[in-house]
Every structure is written in C-alpha cells, then in structure tokens.
Amino acid sequence: MTHVLTVNAGSSSLKYALYEKADAPAVVAQGKVGRIGGAAVLTPEGAPQRSLPDGTDHAGALSAVLDTLKASHPGARIDVVGHRVVHGGPDYAAPMVLTDEVLARLDQFAPFAPLHQPHNLAGVRAAKAAFPDALQVACFDTAFHRGHPFVNDTFALPRSYYDRGVRRYGFHGLSYDYIAGELRHRYPELKRVAVAHLGNGASMCALLDDTSVASTMGFSALDGLPMGTRCGQLDPGVVLYLMDQEGMSAEEITDLLYKESGLKGMSGISNDMRELEASDDPHATEALDYFTFRIRRELGAMAAVLGGLDGLVFCGGIGENSAHIRGRVCDGMGWLGISVDEAANQANAGVISDGPTKVLVIPTNEEIVIARAAVQLAGA
Ligand code: AMP
C-alpha cells in the first residue's frame, strides 16, 4: 500500500501524519517531535513518548519518525511527502512540486519569514534525503490569499516596495482552505463568511463564495489579532521609537514582538488561554479583554469588506474549545444577526447561533489539506 507523509516543521517541532494514498486520504498515524535542538521528544499519538538524543536536528527528528512508522506500519511505502511551507512569496498561489528550482526560490523568501521559512525548508531537505525517490510537495500558508484584490494586497508605500514583494500576504491559509471546503459541502448557502482561526497563532479571514478576499495578517505573521506571544497590529512608529530611543537592535525587537508580547506579554503570566481563563489576576483579565476586543473590531471590518455577513466560523485551539471567548466575541452582536445559544456554545456544538447569521464551530485540519494536495499533484 502506498502512503503520503505530511510534514509540518517548525523552529523546535516537527508534526507528522501518515495517510493512505487515495482520492480521499485517510490518516493512519500521526504525532510530533518537540524540543528539536534540545532535549527532543517523539510523541506518536496513542503510543508512549520516546526521548531522542540531545541536540537532535530536523533530520534526526524525521529519522526517528520513520523508525516509529516502520515499526507501527511495516507495510507502508511512502512515495509522496507533503510539506507545510509558510511563505510562497508573490510567486506561488497553489501547491508546488519541490524541484531544486522551486526550493531555491523558496530559500529567497526566507527573509520574509525568518523565524519559520528556514525551519520549514530544513524539514524539506531532511525529507528529500530520507526519501530520495518520493515526490516532495510544498503547500503554502500564503497561497490561499494570493487572489486578494490589490487594496488588500498592498501597503501605502512607494510602488517599488510592492514590486519587490513587500505586500500583505496573509497566513493560516491551509486552515482557511480546509474551512472553505467544509463550508462548500455543508453550508453552500453561506456566501459571506468571516473565519476566526484562534490558536496560539491567530488571524481572521473574510471569505466571499469560499474565496479569501481579506486577512488580518499582513507581510509577516505578526499583524492583526494579538496572539499567544505575538503583538498583532502595531503602529510602526513604535518600532522606530524602540530603535531610536531605547536603542534596541532588530534582533531584540524581533524577540519582543514575536516571543514576549501578545497574551503572554500583556498578562505577564502565560500565552496559554486555559491558564488565563482560570486566573483572577487583573492583567490576565486585561489580556482577555484586549484579545476579544480586537476580534470584535476585525469582525466588524470583515462584515464591511463582505457587504454583510452570512456566517462566522470559529476554529483553532481557542476557537474550537473556549466557550468563554466565543461568547464574549458574539456578545451584543445582534446588529450583525448573531444570537448565540449558550447551551450549544458551552457544548462546543457545531452550530451555536442559528439566526440570520450562522455561527459555526468547525475543527480545522491543515494536515488533510496538505495530504489531498500532495495526492493530487502525484496524480494518484
Ligand atoms: P493551537 O495553537 O490551535 O493548538 O491552540 C492553542 C491554544 O488553544 C492555547 O492558548 C490553549 O490554551 C487553547 N485551548 C485549548 N483548549 C482550550 C480550552 N478547552 N479552553 C480554552 N482554551 C483552550
């Protein structure tokens, strides 16, 4: 039996899933290697954790994954590997076969996403070495948004910057692609939909007829909503002030905005929503107030972009599990046709508001989007 492996390689983690290769791929195994570069640990779903040698890199992590898969699924033959790659730059609006030429082009986009792209590509290189005969496919977080109208694709900078790739790309595209597919099949009557992907990373996307027309994220994965540790929307004057008046280097500012801000920075407690919801510290309360305020503000903006709203979808770890945040986002949104059934909300039901504007909770699945694209490009 032939199989597809999906690889989602981050800075210190590598998530994987093994699918049977078919028109509708079915997952047969999945898991994660955490703390790559340090005391790495392999956690296959439904099986015991295993410590890997200290300092294990992406190649070592992948090789440990393969050992595990060989033991659990000895008959599996992996002939396609699908990779999550954060940035496809201005060039790639669809999944691509990872030829040497495409890989070289993706290296050039690393400065657009310095904290993610090099690790994604390290995963690609490790998989190419491990499976020299397999077809390698890249699926981009930016691709789903590449059709944005110019006004949602640009900043008001001199035109030459746009031409050099300084644009609003948008991210979480694999998640939105999955949600758009679910909407197409299950709720085809919903034409104007705002999707809130609320996890440790968070963004929103405006879908018109299942096509992305706006995203809260821009050039980098920093813009828009506040996140676990990222700041979200920020006046660029703040960055200039930090450089000029506080003498911070680019590296220090990068660390501040990506790793020390958002829910973690505001609360001073944690980036984890569950901890903040359980806390009675006033700074935790303020962090949640800010988080929900910004989502509500963007929801209004998306309704304006779409000319009204037929649906709102929550997904991601917070969107799928936090009745508290969903309730607060939707509170007082009767003017948008939203009226949440609190019992359905508490139960994480699929439909939590069934008025003129449906509010849905749809568990997202980025891996299956990669597996389907990989199967399609392999022509299976
Ligand atoms: P993700 O990045 O999609 O895995 O989402 C991670 C975020 O989801 C973290 O902030 C978690 O605290 C949050 N989360 C997961 N389960 C729950 C829950 N039951 N209630 C509130 N937040 C949750």
Side-chain angles (χ1 to χ4, degrees), residues 197-201 271-275 277 316-318 321-322:
H197 176 110
L198 308 178
N200 203 31
N271 63 320
D272 193 293
M273 182 55 77
R274 282 166 294 200
E275 272 187 59
E277 284 185 7
I318 298 169
N321 297 298
S322 175

Side-chain angles (χ1 to χ4, degrees), residues 29-365:
Q30 56 193 325
K32 176 179 172 173
V33 180
R35 287 185 258 154
I36 290 177
V41 182
L42 168 64
T43 315
E45 215 172 272
Q49 278 196 350
R50 183 155 72 83
S51 294
L52 304 180
D54 259 13
T56 294
D57 60 7
H58 286 87
L62 191 61
S63 130
V65 167
L66 296 186
D67 289 346
T68 296
L69 291 176
K70 269 185 201 147
S72 62
H73 296 81
R77 189 165 64 77
I78 294 168
D79 63 357
V80 190
V81 185
H83 298 269
R84 179 181 189 172
V85 176
V86 70
H87 224 298
D91 297 12
Y92 301 124
M96 295 294 295
V97 172
L98 279 157
T99 59
D100 289 345
E101 193 189 353
V102 170
L103 194 49
R105 188 81 181 114
L106 294 179
D107 277 329
Q108 292 174 358
F109 300 144
F112 289 169
L115 299 193
H116 295 97
Q117 190 89 338
H119 304 295
N120 300 159
L121 300 183
V124 171
R125 292 198 160 91
K128 279 195 156 216
F131 305 97
D133 299 326
L135 186 78
Q136 310 275 338
V137 170
C139 298
F140 307 104
D141 269 306
T142 49
F144 189 66
H145 305 293
R146 290 310 307 134
H148 282 183
F150 178 72
V151 288
N152 275 333
D153 194 36
T154 192
F155 298 103
L157 293 170
R159 178 68 192 218
S160 60
Y161 289 90
Y162 180 84
D163 296 338
R164 300 206 302 266
V166 181
R167 301 184 190 186
R168 298 183 56 87
Y169 289 98
F171 297 88
H172 289 135
L174 302 176
S175 174
Y176 294 127
D177 197 348
Y178 178 80
I179 298 294
E182 289 295 291
L183 290 172
R184 206 163 29 244
H185 288 113
R186 291 160 56 189
Y187 302 96
E189 71 281 10
L190 305 183
K191 304 293 181 202
R192 302 165 300 176
V193 180
V195 186
H197 176 110
L198 308 178
N200 203 31
S203 72
M204 292 172 73
C205 173
L207 294 177
L208 190 61
D209 290 326
D210 307 322
T211 300
S212 171
V213 292
S215 160
T216 57
M217 275 187 172
F219 178 69
S220 71
L222 279 178
D223 203 2
L225 304 178
M227 301 169 227
T229 61
R230 288 175 247 161
C231 58
Q233 192 268 327
L234 187 76
D235 178 344
V238 173
V239 176
L240 300 178
Y241 171 84
L242 295 176
M243 287 165 63
D244 287 347
Q245 303 300 320
E246 302 221 348
M248 287 175 74
S249 66
E251 205 173 67
E252 287 167 332
I253 296 174
T254 301
D255 205 55
L256 173 73
L257 302 186
Y258 277 95
K259 297 184 180 156
E260 300 301 332
S261 297
L263 296 175
K264 179 184 174 193
M266 286 192 75
S267 69
I269 296 172
S270 171
N271 63 320
D272 193 293
M273 182 55 77
R274 282 166 294 200
E275 272 187 59
L276 299 183
E277 284 185 7
S279 169
D280 52 15
D281 186 298
H283 291 166
T285 307
E286 281 175 359
L288 297 196
D289 288 349
Y290 184 76
F291 186 67
T292 47
F293 172 76
R294 298 302 302 205
I295 298 167
R296 289 164 63 84
R297 201 176 125 142
E298 293 295 343
L299 182 59
M302 300 228 143
V305 165
L306 293 167
L309 208 59
D310 303 316
L312 166 63
V313 178
F314 286 101
C315 63
I318 298 169
E320 291 163 29
N321 297 298
S322 175
H324 176 76
I325 293 296
R326 289 192 304 260
R328 288 185 61 180
V329 168
C330 294
D331 188 36
M333 288 282 179
W335 63 277
L336 261 182
I338 291 172
S339 157
V340 165
D341 173 337
E342 205 32 51
N345 186 32
Q346 289 299 334
N348 295 327
V351 180
I352 62 170
S353 173
D354 211 1
T357 300
K358 270 198 163 54
V359 181
L360 309 170
V361 179
I362 303 181
T364 197
N365 189 344

Side-chain angles (χ1 to χ4, degrees), residues 25 80 95 137-139 177 367-379:
V80 190
V137 170
C139 298
D177 197 348
E367 270 68 32
I368 190 74
V369 173
I370 300 172
R372 285 176 189 154
V375 167
Q376 203 181 7
L377 277 180

Side-chain angles (χ1 to χ4, degrees), residues 11-35:
S11 55
S12 63
S13 70
L14 186 149
K15 291 186 207 146
Y16 67 91
L18 184 69
Y19 290 82
E20 276 175 13
K21 194 165 145 219
D23 284 346
V27 69
V28 294
Q30 56 193 325
K32 176 179 172 173
V33 180
R35 287 185 258 154

